Amino acid sequence: MVTPAARAEGQRLFGAFQTWGAVPVEAAVLQPAETLLDLYGEDIRARAYVTQDPLQGEMMLRPDFTVPVVQAHMAGGAEPARYCYLGEVFRKQEGASTKASEYLQVGYEVFDRDQPLRADAEVFALFSRMLAGKGLRAATGDIGILIAAVKGLPTSDTRKAALMRHLWRPGRFRALLERFAGRAPLPKGREALLDRLAKGDKVESPAPQIGLRSRAEIEARMTKLSEDAATAPIPAAVVDALEALLKVADKAPKALEAMRALAADMPWIAPSLDLFEQRLQVLAAHGVAVDDLDFEASYGRTTLEYYDGFVFGFYAEARPDLAPVATGGRYDALTTVLGQGRSIPAVGGVIRPALLVELGGVA
């Protein structure tokens, strides 16, 4: 239930975004489930409200605005473009959570092909100004650095793809990394299967074949498992450097120094660190005090998976029980997925007006 106070605060923020040149857009409350499932897999089903429409098929109550806004822009939006929106989103909450399952969201999105760093700085600086004096702490990160770190690993494409799939699941990612480094044993069932394959035994079962995978697909999967078992471990120094990278958390300039040191063992991350340094310079030019800006290398790894670059959030440190008041980031790859052959650099963010009201931070 959205309160009148939250609605009023949302309208105020919505109007402020329009004064910055953003064009108001709307998105249907019911969104095709197929698009979201294709993007995020079945994980999104546990967090969204799903229903069945007799004509349109499986639908979801809108879990966010970014996907429909990107779809609308890629279908024929002008370039560059700035959009804003205001409306309810719906997210399931687990157990006895006190977090709202329906809440108001106001957002701002920038599509700019020529100056993505300036767009990053524009969005973050705008949010910083709009939320100034509310007692919030800003946190930033850069998923692009982590993606570069994984893509450059001296290991097979299969292993890199597996790590990339779980980059947004820190526990699973670490478990895979430890196994690929030879520091953790294989699951017992897989170890037994590989032992049989190594001996040349045929893996047969008297049970009838069921499910969607064909025999050929199953055999191809077993071949991949054998090839993976024969892959050399990722060098210990590289694994140590990657694990240290994931733990970097400091003021942005100090964090950059720490990551530069780690690049001695992962030189392939140097270009992404150069980009990070350039962004800090552009942020400073937009009035952001980068020397006081918190940076966490792992920030954004538990949010929606479409972020692939600069990410940020604003938190009420005095209320750790609350969700972030605002979040955002860069999602270039999403425009490629939804663009039907087209793509454009894009960055944006959202604010939850109800949390500002709860904190007493409305103007």
Side-chain angles (χ1 to χ4, degrees):
M1 178 71 179
V2 178
T3 66
R7 182 76 62 183
E9 176 64 2
Q11 288 289 350
R12 184 187 72 81
L13 296 167
F14 187 47
F17 283 140
Q18 291 176 64
T19 65
W20 282 89
V23 176
V25 293
E26 296 186 3
V29 173
L30 279 176
Q31 294 288 321
E34 182 179 8
T35 300
L36 293 164
L37 289 170
D38 286 346
L39 284 170
Y40 312 122
E42 288 294 325
D43 286 356
I44 191 67
R45 192 184 295 276
R47 294 178 282 166
Y49 290 94
V50 183
T51 187
Q52 193 73 26
D53 183 275
L55 297 179
Q56 299 182 81
E58 195 172 40
M59 306 290 286
M60 286 184 181
L61 288 178
R62 182 175 61 209
D64 81 345
F65 277 86
T66 302
V67 169
V69 169
V70 170
Q71 287 178 308
H73 176 80
M74 301 310 291
E79 294 183 13
R82 287 162 177 77
Y83 303 108
C84 61
Y85 46 82
L86 172 67
E88 287 86 348
V89 295
F90 307 85
R91 304 274 183 88
K92 287 181 183 177
Q93 304 298 337
E94 296 181 354
S97 173
T98 58
K99 295 180 180 179
S101 56
E102 172 188 354
Y103 55 89
L104 201 62
Q105 196 177 75
V106 57
Y108 181 80
E109 312 287 341
V110 178
F111 295 77
D112 191 330
R113 188 179 304 280
D114 297 325
Q115 301 189 68
L117 288 179
R118 190 179 73 172
D120 285 350
E122 172 192 328
V123 172
F124 182 79
L126 176 57
F127 274 55
S128 296
R129 285 192 292 271
M130 294 177 70
L131 298 171
K134 314 298 186 186
L136 303 177
R137 179 184 77 89
T140 64
D142 192 335
I143 298 296
I145 296 173
L146 303 186
I147 291 173
V150 172
K151 287 186 174 180
L153 289 173
T155 190
S156 67
D157 289 342
T158 299
R159 287 189 167 184
K160 286 188 280 190
L163 288 167
M164 279 300 305
R165 279 197 304 274
H166 295 288
L167 185 59
W168 290 266
R169 301 169 184 85
R172 179 60 175 158
F173 180 90
R174 180 175 174 79
L176 278 178
L177 185 61
E178 289 292 301
R179 190 204 305 167
F180 295 160
R183 297 174 176 176
L186 288 171
K188 290 184 178 180
R190 180 175 296 188
E191 189 174 18
L193 174 62
L194 290 171
D195 185 57
R196 291 182 62 185
L197 292 173
K199 293 176 179 177
D201 294 348
K202 288 187 176 181
V203 181
E204 300 286 354
S205 171
Q209 182 176 326
I210 58 176
L212 298 177
R213 289 196 296 177
S214 67
R215 182 182 180 86
E217 289 173 324
I218 294 171
E219 291 176 346
R221 172 61 176 163
M222 289 192 292
T223 298
K224 285 185 177 181
L225 290 176
S226 296
E227 292 173 350
D228 181 71
T231 301
I234 303 174
V238 173
V239 174
D240 290 342
L242 178 52
E243 291 182 337
L245 174 67
L246 294 170
K247 295 176 182 177
V248 169
D250 208 328
K251 299 303 180 184
K254 292 291 186 182
L256 177 59
E257 289 180 14
M259 292 187 291
R260 290 283 192 200
L262 293 171
D265 289 305
M266 296 186 296
W268 52 87
I269 69 172
S272 61
L273 296 181
D274 293 341
L275 192 65
F276 173 51
E277 185 171 13
Q278 293 168 30
R279 185 185 299 114
L280 291 181
Q281 295 168 356
V282 180
L283 283 167
H286 278 71
V288 177
V290 295
D291 288 345
D292 299 323
L293 185 62
D294 288 335
F295 177 87
E296 303 166 21
S298 282
Y299 183 77
R301 293 181 67 203
T302 56
T303 58
L304 289 176
E305 297 178 18
Y306 52 65
Y307 290 130
D308 56 8
F310 176 59
V311 285
F312 64 86
F314 289 82
Y315 300 83
E317 288 191 291
R319 290 288 307 275
D321 57 306
L322 292 183
V325 173
T327 55
R330 176 158 292 281
Y331 49 89
D332 296 351
L334 181 62
T335 72
T336 303
V337 173
L338 299 177
Q340 299 178 337
R342 298 173 58 238
S343 64
I344 181 172
V347 61
V350 297
I351 300 174
R352 293 178 61 167
L355 296 183
L356 281 177
V357 171
E358 185 171 347
L359 291 167
V362 297

